[in-house]
Amino acid sequence: MTVLLALSCLALAGQAFGAFPDCANGPLTTNTVCDTSATPLERATALISLFTLEEKINNTGNTAPGVPRLGLPAYQWWQEALHGVAESPGVIFAPSGEYSYATSFPQPILMGAAFDDALINHVATIVSTEARAFNNANRSGIDFWTPNINPFKDPRWGRGQETPGEDPFHLQSYVYNLITGLQGGLDPEYKRIVATCKHFAAYDLENWEGNVRYGFDALVSLQDLSEFYTRSFRTCARDANVGSFMCSYNAVNGVPSCANSYLLQDILRDHWGWTNEDQYITSDCDAIQNIYEPHYYTATRAETVADALNAGTDLDCGEYYPENLGAAYDQGLFTESTLNRALIRQYAALVKLGYFDPADIQPYRQIGWANVSTPEAEELAYTAAVEGITLLKNDGTLPLSPSIKTIALIGPWANATTQMQGNYYGVAPYLISPLMAAEELGFTVYYSAGPGVDDPTTSSFPAAFAAAEAADAIIYAGGIDITVEAEAMDRYTLDWPGVQPDFIDQLSLLGKPLIVLQFGGGQIDDSALLPNPGVNALVWGGYPGQSGGKAIMDIIVGNAAPAGRLPITQYPLDYVYQVAMTDMSLRPSPTNPGRTYMWYTGTPIVEFGFGLHYTTFTASLSQPSAPSYDIATLVSLCSGVAHPDLCPFASYTANVTNTGSSVTSDFVSLLFLAGEHGPAPYPNKVLVAYDRLHAIAPLASQTTTLNLTLGSLSRVDDYGNTILYPGEYTLIFDVDAKSTRRFLTTGPNRNNARPLRGGDNGYEVMRLSPTFIIPFLAPLRATQHSPLNRLASTLPTSVTAAVQVKLRYFHYSRPAMSGPSKTKNDTEWKAILSPEQFRILRQKGTEPAGSGKYENFKGEGIFACAGCGTPLYKSTTKFDSGCGWPAFFDAIPGAVNRHEDRSFGMTRTEITCTACGGHLGHVFKGEGYKTPTDERHCVNSISLNFVDEPKA
């Protein structure tokens, strides 16, 4: 079959992407897709039934040509709106006049610093309203690929600016309010737009030390996957009912995300219940192609697109689907019903958006230019910037004294305009730089650009120092920007780049008030500025958007009071030398000081949640309702709750008093929980609730209620299950512990519980009643989406937990991997791997090529299972962890079991110990390996022990 790509070109010619189908007079009039009384599933199914196979395949890319013969217009699925309607393939800004701009809010990293969920919902409502206006004018589609909800784990990540911060609970609350604002509720009759949670999953590397996002394999323990990397996505799917997901460029544990049925089907759709007919998954752009290269996961392009489609990726942002699905279909690699399912999901989403319905019966088709950049939106953009701006140091210089009439405004951000928008931005109605705002406030301003962000030269110093000498006070505006942190660009250092540190140091010697404004998303080490008495104040401004200059200058002069809190940890310079960006683990180890405020074992320069005010506050947290709680009782009260992690536990009130005498200020209430309960290591503390109080007057008080759930008290075990453990819990109000409270939970300790075989779901569980467990995984069961689940039902109880992890899938490589001989014993492996990584390597993995422990062993004896000691092979057997022959072929008869699995596009056989079920490796067959049996044997050699033959 030949896919008619020419049809795409013809269909796209002369059509606007935002055009609507004609259900009144067009060819679709009599089709069920135009029947507003039918369900979205029925309507989309009826539409797709009219497509030919060629037309179906042509419409699998983001630039969909539609079907001209049916009157179905072309549609562009790719629109962006990270912090306002943004330039992207589907968004068309006019050169002037109407639709030539849209409101540009601060980047999410700064809005996250506000810790104000109501603000985020309001911003999202404005953004999606303006998006609808553009769509109604045929200037955009209605599907927007936002938000980026990956946690900001590593300060070097170039796209951390796009996220709200590092804390998973904060991200969950943020994204819930964002999604419901963007879409117009949890399940409205008509969605305002379709939002897209991206990038699923474990994506936080662009280009570091030769590791490029397109081919990076993120090795993540199930514990970290459940506890950290997927929590915000669970909220997107299960709680906020988001319309779309985007699978990421990277692989997760050997499988590219867009071909990873474990992520896309087992977790997302089956376990989280994200199964509405109008919910679809798109790839990141060209991520389907990246499955083939540079992941080298599949042998052919046809296998690539089939693997992605079968795994659940419905839409290709790119051209790989339209170009290669035809060949894949001819080879029988997917069924037409699978293709139909993907298209039905997409067009059912358009049905929910009112795409096929008369304009006069739905609420959003009347939105127009009058609803774009309204006074309300402009004020909100300013408020969002003010609320997020964070005061890191102040010796009393701020707010500036009215006696200061002249200022030197110096630095690469001093006259920033588009720089304030960061990335993924659109055309703003205006951009108020700090220079413009300062002049508007009536200051006499001596402006000098000074050295650039990453400028290594000093030629600008004389002019800048002349400006500084002429002024009453100095404001230096610098930091980092998208020239050093951006998509496809990670950082290598946490220092202020270029000559900025030397320049600031020289300014601090002038004996004048010096305020340093630090811009950018990722933090930079302020350890030289904070103790410097010549630096009087330090303010972090992120990327503050269209009104950023006005917001920050209003804070400097006291027209607004700072109350933002740092949503990420500021690490010292040497952090980048202590842990590789490629290390995905959160917990500390010999090669990792720990990540985020929860696990970092060093001393941060500025801690997560820190932020100063122009006034002082005290606070008192209410007492627990009881000194201790029985876990069995707590769980029994949640028997009718659909999601036990959301079951209410307790509400605490905090009374916050502004003890200052002159400044009205907001206050962010942060409630942390700490304690040594559950397995070690223990987190330093975790955020469990927050709220922002507004405009607390001098000597006045306000009260907030902070709600905790059972999920707030839980820990996550090695298998990703959420568990309540008995022990002492400490509640800590604010980063400086303004108030603390303690309580106990009682019940059996899971670590001492007896493991029992689970009911009929086929995997080993801990029967810990009354201990509280929320399984992370869907029950292991035989499904087409879970190839290793079928294996689980055949394995002994002792290894079903290892199969449950499913962290190692087949990784096809072109050309065959090879490498120098390198020997590591168990101790050496443990020194470079986390305990979880070592366990997975032993139970489910195979070492890198040439690293096998027994490759060149010449002694006489036997190789025995490391798990139970059962003899497996004679010492004459060849072991090559780079995969070779023989190996399992020469096993002692009856010593190993074979479990065939054909879900990888070839025959793969898992090998386990007959006696105990320990995983030993796998075999591939039928790929032209040029061995006597055309088999490639891959041995997990550290699952073996060598036993010397007894001497006579």
Side-chain angles (χ1 to χ4, degrees):
M1 181 194 72
T2 302
V3 179
L4 302 180
L5 290 176
L7 179 62
S8 302
C9 300
L10 290 173
L12 293 175
Q15 292 200 34
F17 290 128
F20 297 95
D22 185 356
C23 271
N25 303 299
L28 294 174
T29 302
T30 59
N31 185 267
T32 302
V33 74
C34 291
D35 181 359
T36 58
S37 67
T39 67
L41 176 61
E42 293 167 341
R43 297 174 69 178
T45 301
L47 174 66
I48 300 307
S49 70
L50 301 179
F51 288 26
T52 65
L53 181 59
E54 290 81 4
E55 289 166 342
K56 292 175 184 177
I57 292 174
N58 281 338
N59 282 279
T60 55
N62 65 286
T63 306
V67 183
R69 68 178 181 86
L70 298 177
L72 183 68
Y75 186 77
Q76 176 58 259
W77 294 88
W78 181 3
Q79 282 76 216
E80 299 284 356
L82 179 66
H83 51 113
V85 176
E87 293 182 295
S88 46
V91 175
I92 305 170
F93 283 95
S96 62
E98 293 186 353
Y99 300 100
S100 61
Y101 54 82
T103 308
S104 185
F105 292 93
Q107 275 280 46
I109 192 64
L110 189 66
M111 290 196 289
F115 286 91
D116 187 344
D117 289 344
L119 171 78
I120 300 308
N121 187 268
H122 195 181
V123 168
T125 301
I126 295 293
V127 170
S128 56
T129 298
E130 296 190 0
R132 266 291 183 159
F134 272 72
N135 173 252
N136 290 335
N138 289 346
R139 290 191 170 274
S140 79
I142 339 175
D143 293 78
F144 284 78
W145 292 352
T146 190
N148 180 341
I149 204 64
N150 299 106
F152 192 178
K153 175 192 84 240
D154 194 297
R156 293 164 285 191
W157 185 30
R159 297 184 73 178
Q161 59 180 286
E162 301 174 27
T163 78
E166 70 183 39
D167 180 78
F169 173 77
H170 179 211
L171 265 67
Q172 287 179 284
S173 297
Y174 180 103
V175 76
Y176 180 88
N177 285 276
L178 187 77
I179 296 300
T180 52
L182 289 172
Q183 296 191 160
L186 283 175
D187 189 23
E189 180 182 2
Y190 290 102
K191 291 179 180 176
R192 193 180 291 116
I193 64 170
V194 163
T196 304
C197 286
K198 63 184 185 183
H199 312 79
F200 191 56
Y203 170 69
D204 59 4
L205 178 146
E206 301 299 308
N207 187 347
W208 182 84
E209 295 283 2
N211 296 279
V212 181
R213 59 181 178 161
Y214 305 112
F216 176 60
D217 183 10
L219 302 180
V220 187
S221 72
L222 194 58
Q223 184 177 51
D224 287 340
L225 194 68
S226 170
E227 180 182 59
F228 185 76
Y229 290 105
T230 62
R231 275 178 59 181
S232 53
F233 291 99
R234 182 183 69 198
T235 297
C236 285
R238 190 192 71 181
D239 306 326
N241 199 30
V242 73
S244 173
F245 260 63
M246 177 183 284
C247 51
S248 56
Y249 287 118
N250 58 287
V252 176
N253 301 313
V255 189
S257 297
C258 293
N260 197 323
S261 62
Y262 176 56
L263 289 177
L264 306 185
Q265 187 63 43
D266 291 0
I267 294 177
L268 174 56
R269 286 183 165 125
D270 291 347
H271 186 56
W272 292 341
W274 194 68
T275 54
N276 288 355
E277 66 275 4
D278 59 327
Q279 293 169 326
Y280 67 90
I281 298 171
T282 179
S283 76
D284 206 336
C285 297
D286 293 327
I288 302 298
Q289 176 180 338
N290 298 149
I291 295 170
Y292 180 70
E293 186 177 21
H295 281 295
Y296 304 117
Y297 178 73
T298 48
T300 68
R301 291 174 175 83
E303 288 179 10
T304 298
V305 294
D307 276 9
L309 187 67
N310 289 330
T313 302
D314 303 303
L315 176 66
D316 174 18
C317 180
E319 299 177 354
Y320 237 53
Y321 269 7
E323 291 177 351
N324 297 292
L325 280 174
Y329 182 81
D330 288 344
Q331 295 172 38
L333 298 180
F334 70 91
T335 65
E336 190 169 359
S337 62
T338 301
L339 178 60
N340 290 344
R341 180 187 64 190
L343 290 164
I344 288 168
R345 286 169 174 165
Q346 295 162 230
Y347 282 92
L350 289 179
V351 170
K352 282 287 287 184
L353 288 160
Y355 186 66
F356 296 92
D357 293 0
D360 58 1
I361 69 168
Q362 49 181 304
Y364 302 126
R365 287 285 291 277
Q366 287 72 40
I367 295 173
W369 176 242
N371 303 102
V372 177
S373 191
T374 63
E376 175 192 5
E378 294 175 0
E379 180 64 24
L380 188 63
Y382 166 79
T383 299
V386 166
E387 287 200 8
I389 291 169
T390 304
L391 183 62
L392 301 181
K393 177 185 179 180
N394 187 24
D395 64 2
T397 298
L398 294 183
L400 277 181
S401 168
S403 64
I404 292 177
K405 304 298 183 182
T406 64
I407 60 173
L409 191 52
I410 303 170
W413 275 82
N415 196 25
T417 53
T418 55
Q419 199 174 11
M420 297 189 298
Q421 296 176 282
N423 61 5
Y424 283 88
Y425 62 89
V427 181
Y430 50 78
L431 291 162
I432 303 175
S433 71
L435 176 58
M436 295 169 60
E439 292 174 337
E440 182 67 24
L441 287 169
F443 285 107
T444 297
V445 181
Y446 299 98
Y447 164 69
S448 177
V453 166
D454 202 16
D455 185 355
T457 70
T458 60
S459 59
S460 62
F461 281 23
F465 289 138
E469 291 284 2
D472 298 332
I474 307 165
I475 299 174
Y476 177 77
I480 58 178
D481 62 13
I482 61 172
T483 63
V484 295
E485 60 164 359
E487 185 167 8
M489 186 193 305
D490 295 318
R491 291 188 290 153
Y492 285 87
T493 176
L494 303 183
D495 201 0
W496 286 69
V499 295
Q500 290 186 82
D502 293 336
F503 183 65
I504 296 171
D505 189 56
Q506 292 187 45
L507 289 176
S508 72
L509 299 176
L510 297 179
K512 298 187 176 186
L514 172 61
I515 299 99
V516 175
L517 307 182
Q518 174 187 327
F519 291 93
Q523 286 294 299
I524 44 185
D525 185 339
D526 290 327
S527 58
L529 304 183
L530 293 170
N532 185 341
V535 176
N536 303 98
L538 177 62
V539 182
W540 175 68
Y543 292 92
Q546 68 183 39
S547 294
K550 175 176 171 53
I552 206 154
M553 287 304 302
D554 275 353
I555 283 177
I556 286 173
V557 301
N559 290 341
R565 300 298 190 99
L566 207 62
I568 43 180
T569 300
Q570 187 181 118
Y571 297 96
L573 285 176
D574 61 357
Y575 183 81
V576 300
Y577 307 111
Q578 296 173 346
V579 59
M581 274 198 79
T582 51
D583 185 344
M584 304 299 290
S585 58
L586 275 294
R587 287 159 175 76
S589 72
T591 59
N592 186 343
R595 293 186 176 277
T596 78
Y597 76 96
M598 295 178 286
W599 298 103
Y600 182 49
T601 55
T603 301
I605 304 302
V606 184
E607 64 181 312
F608 170 90
F610 181 84
L612 298 173
H613 305 83
Y614 286 164
T615 184
T616 55
F617 290 95
T618 60
S620 177
L621 191 64
S622 62
Q623 293 287 348
S625 59
S628 72
Y629 302 88
D630 176 62
I631 294 176
T633 303
L634 293 176
V635 174
S636 68
L637 296 174
C638 298
S639 58
V641 177
H643 305 300
D645 59 309
L646 301 181
C647 181
F649 162 64
S651 294
Y652 289 84
T653 58
N655 186 262
V656 178
T657 300
N658 180 348
T659 56
S661 60
S662 60
V663 177
T664 295
S665 176
D666 289 4
F667 181 86
V668 171
S669 300
L670 301 175
L671 185 62
F672 299 93
L673 185 143
E676 295 186 357
H677 43 271
Y682 309 109
N684 301 317
K685 60 183 178 181
V686 295
L687 183 68
V688 291
Y690 66 83
D691 186 31
R692 187 179 184 107
L693 297 173
H694 294 273
I696 306 177
L699 304 178
S701 299
Q702 289 187 24
T703 299
T704 181
T705 299
L706 302 169
N707 299 312
L708 273 62
T709 67
L710 292 191
S712 306
L713 311 184
S714 65
R715 295 281 308 282
V716 175
D717 71 3
D718 288 349
Y719 298 105
N721 297 316
T722 302
I723 300 170
L724 268 181
Y725 292 96
E728 184 178 60
Y729 294 73
T730 300
L731 292 171
I732 305 167
F733 187 85
D734 211 350
V735 294
D736 59 353
K738 287 181 172 65
S739 182
T740 61
R741 296 289 182 260
R742 290 178 174 84
F743 61 87
L744 296 173
T745 62
T746 59
N749 193 317
R750 179 176 195 244
N751 296 328
N752 298 323
R754 178 183 178 185
L756 298 174
R757 186 62 180 249
D760 60 0
N761 55 14
Y763 67 95
E764 186 172 302
V765 298
M766 305 297 287
R767 287 289 185 182
L768 302 172
S769 181
T771 305
F772 174 56
I773 304 177
I774 306 171
F776 172 66
L777 292 171
L780 293 180
R781 59 189 184 281
T783 72
Q784 61 175 325
H785 312 293
S786 310
L788 294 184
N789 285 349
R790 296 199 296 276
L791 171 61
S793 63
T794 68
L795 290 180
T797 303
S798 59
V799 292
T800 51
V803 176
Q804 172 190 357
V805 176
K806 295 195 302 180
L807 288 180
R808 283 290 178 191
Y809 279 60
F810 166 66
H811 190 163
Y812 186 87
S813 180
R814 293 182 290 107
M817 294 183 294
S818 63
S821 178
K822 186 185 298 182
T823 300
K824 289 185 178 68
N825 58 31
D826 287 8
T827 300
E828 291 169 325
W829 277 115
K830 287 180 179 178
I832 64 173
L833 299 175
S834 68
E836 175 68 4
Q837 288 173 317
F838 178 80
R839 183 179 66 79
I840 297 307
L841 182 64
R842 175 180 290 283
Q843 294 180 336
K844 203 70 203 137
T846 302
E847 304 95 319
S851 64
K853 180 177 168 184
Y854 305 111
E855 290 181 51
N856 302 311
F857 196 87
K858 303 298 183 183
E860 295 182 353
I862 59 170
F863 294 113
C865 173
C868 66
T870 299
L872 300 174
Y873 310 94
K874 296 179 180 179
S875 60
T876 54
T877 299
K878 174 186 176 184
F879 290 95
D880 178 7
S881 66
C883 298
W885 185 94
F888 305 119
F889 187 81
D890 286 346
I892 296 171
V896 299
N897 284 330
R898 292 172 174 243
H899 311 279
E900 190 172 280
D901 178 17
R902 299 189 179 185
S903 64
F904 295 88
M906 62 182 68
T907 299
R908 168 179 167 138
T909 303
E910 298 291 339
I911 308 298
T912 59
C913 171
T914 300
C916 73
H919 187 270
L920 304 173
H922 48 259
V923 174
F924 299 124
K925 183 177 178 64
E927 289 292 308
Y929 293 122
K930 298 181 181 179
T931 63
T933 60
D934 192 21
E935 291 181 344
R936 187 177 183 187
H937 292 231
C938 301
V939 180
N940 184 16
S941 68
I942 62 172
S943 290
L944 306 174
N945 288 331
F946 180 75
V947 181
D948 285 308
E949 183 176 292
K951 302 299 181 181

